[in-house]
Amino acid sequence: MLPPPPRQRGRQASRIGAALTAVPAPGIFIATAVSTYMGAGFAVGLFGVMPPATVAWWRVTIGTLVLLAWRRPWRPRKDGRAWTRRVLGVSAAFGVATATMNVLFYASISYLPMGTAVSLEFLGPVIVAVVTGRGWRPRVAAGLAMAGVASISGVGLDLSDPAHRMGMILAIGAGSSWAGYILLGRKVATGGAGMDALAVGTAAGALFYTPLAATTASGAFSSAGTALAVLGVAVLSTVIPYALDQINLGRLSADTFSLLASLMPATSMVVGIVMLRQMPNFGELAGLILVSFAVALAGRS
């Protein structure tokens, strides 16, 4: 069977985009979380083959190749406007922030338990919600979300341990990059170029970190299983979630997006209950309740 012509493919993509836009924002976040955590499961198994920063680079690089093949941003834009230096600059800055977020987070979980790193990284979205939100509602919701994420993920830091201190610095750095990802990503999502700008941005991020990963990247080809795992990490943790994020970034304010991001660690706990029969403890249940209140407050706006 022959593939559909370009115009038909464009109409199909538009229909898919319209269908996704009709999905409530929390549903998009939950789908993003499921995909991201599935990818993280593959990533952890790769840390014995390559440094975490190299795994993160492969995640961004392969995701870039998929996005470039899909979007082909060198073609004339659908809105009829040409690429400007400003749009390219914002897209590139967004891509570097995205890659930095991934590199620092993967490096942090080589020193800290993932739950601790997630709690520290979530400081970035909380600060965005507090600074950009208007009125008392987003600030109260930010406090509830931070408490909920900390309760779910746990913050077990031993500052006398050099490894924990390094992990804390890296995780907080990842959180700062997450804040940049939200603020710049909203500009990209509302700037007209959409997914094309996402493809350009991830390309810039991959190129920026190529010198860091150049000497260890060949580990991805050590076996067929490793290569497939790297591909799985890229598609599940970059292509799918960042494409879904562009939908929410285009329709939510920065503070609401930041607060709804607390659904991600909450979703990981629920997935553990349903799929792995991992029953939550009191702290995790309390965290889920706090996140639910935060999301309800964010949703009121």
Side-chain angles (χ1 to χ4, degrees):
M1 181 181 294
L2 293 174
R7 288 185 180 178
Q8 187 175 340
R9 288 201 300 269
R11 288 194 294 269
Q12 290 172 349
S14 298
R15 284 196 293 268
I16 293 171
L20 287 172
T21 303
V23 177
I28 296 289
F29 271 102
I30 290 171
T32 298
V34 171
S35 184
T36 298
Y37 288 121
M38 287 177 64
F42 288 113
V44 170
L46 292 169
F47 288 174
V49 181
M50 293 175 286
T54 303
V55 176
W57 176 81
W58 270 119
R59 165 184 167 175
V60 174
T61 299
I62 295 178
T64 296
L65 295 175
V66 173
L67 286 168
L68 288 175
W70 171 31
R71 301 304 305 178
R72 288 178 282 178
W74 52 85
R75 297 179 303 176
R77 285 168 49 180
K78 291 182 179 179
D79 60 6
R81 290 185 287 181
W83 288 97
T84 64
R85 290 184 179 180
R86 182 182 179 280
V87 172
L88 286 172
V90 171
S91 300
F94 167 70
V96 172
T98 302
T100 301
M101 175 178 67
N102 292 324
V103 168
L104 292 180
F105 180 71
Y106 275 24
S108 73
I109 61 177
S110 67
Y111 292 99
L112 293 175
M114 185 177 292
T116 302
V118 167
S119 296
L120 292 170
E121 187 191 28
F122 192 67
L123 285 169
V126 166
I127 291 172
V128 170
V130 170
V131 172
T132 64
R134 295 182 179 180
W136 64 269
R137 198 185 305 275
R139 291 167 173 79
V140 172
L144 291 173
M146 186 68 236
V149 170
S151 186
I152 290 170
S153 304
V155 185
L157 279 175
D158 179 6
L159 294 181
S160 64
D161 185 342
H164 276 215
R165 290 199 299 270
M166 177 58 72
M168 180 184 71
I169 293 170
L170 291 167
I172 292 175
S176 300
S177 300
W178 194 355
Y181 169 85
I182 293 169
L183 296 172
L184 292 167
R186 191 165 189 279
K187 289 186 177 181
V188 168
T190 58
M195 296 292 183
D196 292 348
L198 175 62
V200 170
T202 55
L207 289 172
F208 185 84
Y209 280 101
T210 294
L212 177 67
T215 59
T216 53
S218 60
F221 306 107
S222 58
S223 69
T226 300
L228 288 173
V230 169
L231 180 62
V233 170
V235 173
L236 291 170
S237 293
T238 296
V239 178
I240 295 174
Y242 294 161
L244 292 175
D245 273 354
Q246 284 294 298
I247 296 171
N248 274 340
L249 284 165
R251 62 181 178 175
L252 299 176
S253 63
D255 62 293
T256 303
F257 182 95
S258 301
L259 293 170
L260 289 179
S262 62
L263 282 168
M264 296 187 68
T267 300
S268 70
M269 187 192 78
V270 175
V271 169
I273 296 172
V274 175
M275 297 184 64
L276 304 177
R277 301 294 188 268
Q278 295 175 344
M279 300 311 296
N281 56 35
F282 175 78
E284 290 170 329
L285 284 174
L288 187 60
I289 292 170
L290 289 170
V291 166
S292 299
F293 277 120
V295 169
L297 277 176
R300 291 287 295 274
S301 62

